[in-house]
Each structure stands twice: as C-alpha cells, then as structure tokens.
Amino acid sequence: MPKVFYTQPDGAERVVDGKVGDSVMRTAVQNGVAGIVGQCGGVLSCATCHVFLAEGELDAYPPVSEDEDEMLDCAATDREPNSRLSCQLVLREGTDVHVTIPPEQL
Amino acid sequence: MTETTERAYPPGTEYPFGPRPVHEAAEQYHRIAADRPMTKMTMPFGGDVWVIHRNQAARDMLGDTRFVREPFRTGERVVPYFVEFPDFLKTTIQFEDPPHHTKLRRLVQRSISPKRVRAMRESAVEFANHLIDEMVSKGSPANLVEEYALGLPIQMLSNLLGVPPEDRPKFERWAASTLATANMPEERIANDMLELIGYMSGLIEERRREPREDLLSDLANARDKDESLTDDEIMPIALILIIAGFDNTANFISTGVAALLHHDAQRELLLTDVDGLMPTAVEEILRHGGWALGTPVGGGGGLVPFVATEDVVIDGQLIAAGEAVLIDPTAVAHDGIVLPDDAEFDITRQNNPQLTLSYGLHHCLGAPLARMEMQVGIGELFKRLPQLRLAGEIRWNRDHLSQPMVELPVAW
C-alpha cells in the first residue's frame, strides 16, 4: 500500500495510506488533509491542489502536460520547478510520495 | 416533559421536509443519509429528480463525466427545479459539456484564477474600508445589505470585467433585474436584459479595439487553438459572471455577518484573530451560515441537476440513463457521516468538505473570488466595528431566484 507524506507549510507532517490508482489530491481530500482543496475534482480547471513534489521523486511521474502547465501558472502560491497539481500524481504499488503543501491554495 | 413531547415534528426520514428547529433538521438529515444515499423527488417544474444526501455520493456523481447537462441546454429535457429555469440561464457555461465547456472554462479560469484573485485582494480591502467609512458617516443603524454587502462584490466584478465606474449604477440595476422571478413586470425584466446585453456588446467591441487589463478584454481577444470566441460565446459567460458574481457573494457576506451576530462566542473568538480565522470561518459560513441564524430549517434544496447518459450506480443506487440527479448542498454538509457535530457553527473547523460551491467539472468558476471577498468583506467589517450588533429583524426576498437577504439592520 503506497503511503503519501504530506508536509504542511509549518513543517507538520501527516502520513496517509493511499490506494493504488487514486491521486495524491483524492487521497488528501478523502482523508481531510488541510491545504489541498481540489475543487474541480481532478479535471485540471481549478489549480487548488498545488503541491511541491520531493525533488528525488520528480522523475517517477509523467511530465507536466500542457494543460497542467497552464493551470500551475494560475496557482495562488507561485510555482517552483518541482510544482505539480496533486490530481495528476497517481499512486502506484510500492511507491511512496512526499509532497509539501504551499501556504496558499485560494 | 420528555424530549419527545417537546418536539414539534419528530425527525423521520421523509424528504423533502418542512421547517423545523436546527437540531431536529440535522437529526432528520442524519437519519435520511443513514437510510439511503438519495431520494427521488418530484420538483415543482420538470418532473422527477434524484436528490443526493450523502457527501461522498455527491462527490462521486459530480466527478463522473457520464452525468451531463446537454439535454437541458438543447431543450430535450425540462430542468427539474424549484422554479422554471429562465431560458437565458440555459445558454450559460454551466449548461455546457466538454469539449466546449473545457474551452470556455479555461479561457475564463485564467482571468479569475487564485493567482489573479490574490492580486485583487489589496484593492478589495481598500474598497471594503471605503464602504465602511461611508456607512459610518451616515450613522448607526444601517441596512448592511444595501450599505455594504452588495457594494463590495459589485465593485470587484466591475473591476474584473472592466465596467467603467460611472456605469456601475445602471449595470447593477440591469443585473438585479435579471434575477427577479416575481413582483417585477415581465416587460421591465425583458427591457433590462436587452439593455444589459446591448451594453455588454458595446463594451466587448470596445475592448476588442482597445484591449485593457480586464476579463472582457481577455475574452474578446482570446485565442484558443487559433480560434477566437464569438460574441455569442462571450455574452453568456459575462452574464453568468454577473449573476453569480455579485448576487450570491453579497448574500454569503450578509449571511456570514448575521451568523456571527447570532453567535456571541464564535464572534468573540473571531475578534481575537480576524485575519487568522477568516479562511476557516468562510468555509463554515458557506457550509452552515444559513442554519446559524437560528431560524427553522427545511429540507429540499439543490444545485442545478445533471442527466445520466447511461445507467450509473452511485453508492449502491441505480440512476437510469436519462434520469436527472442533483445534490442538496445542505444535506451533504449535514449527513452525519463526514463531520462530527455538523449542527454546530464552528469557525475553526480545519476539515470542512462543504459543497455549496459545488465540485468537479462545474465547480463554481468564481470560487476563489467569492472566498476572497467573503474573507475581506466580513473580516474588515469586524475589525473596524467589533461592537457591531443586530438592530432589528432580518428580511429576505422570496420572489427572487436566489432568495437573497435584503435587510440586515445593524448598529455599532
């Protein structure tokens, strides 16, 4: 069972057991992880599930698509090179994910 | 006297249900959600619709692309709803499906994104304080709806769209008229709509010639895969932004202030750290603000429905192809499953999965703007006037599509 490690802007960490096939966004929303809103449900139209993915895990996921790239530009907290929309990070068997939640989502 | 005999209406599992005390309404919603995920209800217009009661079932439906709105837009199906849906509202983006919906939405999203809204915050604070100055200078008491709650969203929307300041009073009148469902002559509504559309067309044309830093300029000059938007595509977007963009937000601000004036302990808590608590307070106002006013609550509300394109099972219940389904945002915020103590007004809730602004493909386009305006509008008011208090009866306009609060008498 993959684990998702969510680090809040103040450094507090929460670990959630995820389900293969679910996204990091869906896992957060279903478990009440603060700071990830995901209001569009994962259709790349709200930019409220922005996260910073651990540098060492960037290559473990498909690259940022054109649509995701456009929405990352709309995020409330300025994007960084390791910015992703967590709705696009899908959990895989045997692969844990470490993300940091930005200070502002809305 | 036992608790049972004190009840005017013992909570059951029938839906819809008439007004009853808040805790009884919550108890009834809990029983319904425990009993079944949804109820088939016959609406005053358009026939039957499934109304979803459970939060997770609502998210599952709203996130499922097999539910669409096209049959409403084409007229193939009447929209099952509480009032007859005006035709012009069925031409708006909320009745579009992908791929056209995706194209329109992306274009607007850039202009009303969290990032753009963050940049508008400072001017919202400034304008909120300007409105408070004017209200204070006129003296206590005041009708907060007229003197404050309407002014802020209108100003922000006008700024966003690019409506010149001198045109705002007539813009406001036309826009208000489009939402009237009774007590306004049809001829006047039609005239106001025509004037508003004519005015917006002129403004779009002007922005096409001389673009500025505003949403109408963005839309008028948009290029999406080398295809510009036509006026026919821009107008419904502008209209839905006008309608949803100030009327609903003004009502959320009024409701939020009224809720806090009804809850001394929560208001006192807010005053200890207004800026720090406003984000969670706003989510709680969206979820439960209407209930926090202490007036009896009935069950049977709902957001705009969808139609199933094929047989779909949600939470064990079959929704057959062609059937309509909607969510009751009040029910899903009080299902007794997603939140503990959901009948309590608690501005510190960290996990608040309310769906008042919907979810999925059709989540509220202006949600970041609405949230910012609520945070600023309610926050600045209590910072400036911490002694604010109710000074009379609250009044609503029930002859209006969104049934807004029209009088909130306050003193300071």
Side-chain angles (χ1 to χ4, degrees), chain B residues 48-248:
Chain B
D48 289 355
V49 63
W50 286 105
V51 183
I52 297 183
H53 310 300
R54 291 181 187 158
N55 195 288
Q56 189 54 52
R59 284 172 194 274
D60 290 347
M61 188 279 285
L62 292 169
D64 191 324
T65 53
R66 290 173 294 176
F67 295 99
V68 300
R69 284 184 169 150
E70 188 184 16
F72 298 141
R73 191 180 69 252
T74 59
E76 187 187 316
R77 263 202 77 133
V78 181
V79 186
Y81 214 59
F82 307 95
V83 294
E84 196 169 10
F85 238 81
D87 280 342
F88 80 92
L89 276 181
K90 285 185 274 188
T91 65
T92 58
I93 188 171
Q94 64 178 336
F95 282 99
E96 292 284 351
D97 299 308
H100 194 56
H101 176 271
T102 315
K103 171 189 164 185
L104 297 178
R105 174 137 206 154
R106 291 253 160 84
L107 287 168
V108 184
Q109 196 80 55
R110 289 178 208 140
S111 305
I112 201 171
S113 67
K115 187 173 195 162
R116 182 74 71 95
V117 167
R118 191 184 58 179
M120 293 169 70
R121 192 176 186 109
E122 205 174 308
S123 69
V125 170
E126 201 176 302
F127 191 70
N129 279 284
H130 167 72
L131 287 173
I132 296 168
D133 287 341
E134 283 195 337
M135 185 173 78
V136 168
S137 73
K138 287 183 193 169
S140 173
N143 175 5
L144 195 88
V145 178
E146 274 182 17
E147 300 291 337
Y148 186 71
L150 273 167
L152 183 62
I154 287 173
Q155 174 86 9
M156 290 298 110
L157 188 72
S158 305
N159 286 356
L160 188 80
L161 282 173
V163 173
E166 63 274 18
D167 290 344
R168 279 180 200 155
K170 55 186 178 187
F171 171 78
E172 181 186 340
R173 180 169 57 79
W174 295 328
S177 183
T178 61
L179 278 174
T181 55
N183 287 349
M184 192 178 279
E186 273 184 34
E187 200 179 331
R188 174 163 163 213
I189 296 173
N191 281 342
D192 283 354
M193 278 290 291
L194 278 177
E195 280 184 25
L196 174 62
I197 289 171
Y199 173 81
M200 295 302 285
S201 296
L203 214 52
I204 291 165
E205 190 48 46
E206 210 176 294
R207 294 295 184 272
R208 198 164 269 145
R209 283 196 312 269
E210 290 175 47
R212 297 186 190 177
E213 283 285 313
D214 58 46
L215 176 57
L216 277 186
S217 298
D218 290 351
L219 293 174
N221 301 288
R223 299 267 166 197
D224 185 71
K225 304 205 187 318
D226 298 327
E227 188 187 350
S228 292
L229 284 183
T230 64
D231 284 12
D232 285 348
E233 288 176 310
I234 296 172
M235 189 58 69
I237 294 176
L239 285 178
I240 195 71
L241 287 171
I242 290 164
I243 291 158
F246 82 81
D247 181 83
N248 283 342

Side-chain angles (χ1 to χ4, degrees), chain A residues 26 29-30 32 34 38-41 43-48 67 70-71 73-78 104-106, chain B residues 56 59-60 105-106 109-110 113-116 118 225 283 350-351 357-361 363-364 367-368 371:
Chain A
R26 189 172 163 84
V29 170
Q30 285 186 336
Q39 199 178 8
C40 77
V43 295
L44 287 173
S45 73
C46 73
T48 62
D67 289 340
E70 197 170 288
M71 289 314 295
D73 283 339
C74 294
T77 300
D78 290 340
E104 282 184 277
Q105 224 39 292
L106 286 167
Chain B
Q56 189 54 52
R59 284 172 194 274
D60 290 347
R105 174 137 206 154
R106 291 253 160 84
Q109 196 80 55
R110 289 178 208 140
S113 67
K115 187 173 195 162
R116 182 74 71 95
R118 191 184 58 179
K225 304 205 187 318
E283 298 309 305
Q350 290 296 322
N351 173 29
L357 301 175
S358 198
Y359 174 81
L361 197 62
H363 74 275
C364 174
R371 286 184 159 106

Side-chain angles (χ1 to χ4, degrees), chain B residues 337-351:
Chain B
I337 301 166
V338 289
L339 284 180
D341 309 323
D342 60 31
E344 303 303 322
F345 183 60
D346 175 3
I347 63 166
T348 66
R349 281 183 202 276
Q350 290 296 322
N351 173 29

Side-chain angles (χ1 to χ4, degrees), chain A residues 4 6 11 13 19 23 27 41 51 72 74 78-79 82-83 94:
Chain A
V4 188
Y6 297 95
E13 186 182 71
K19 207 168 76 186
S23 68
T27 307
V51 292
L72 279 167
C74 294
D78 290 340
R79 68 187 285 184
N82 60 335
S83 284

Side-chain angles (χ1 to χ4, degrees), chain A residues 5-36:
Chain A
F5 295 74
Y6 297 95
T7 302
Q8 293 292 339
D10 66 1
E13 186 182 71
R14 178 151 169 221
V15 187
V16 178
D17 286 328
K19 207 168 76 186
V20 172
D22 273 357
S23 68
V24 171
M25 179 277 283
R26 189 172 163 84
T27 307
V29 170
Q30 285 186 336
N31 289 280
V33 175
I36 292 184

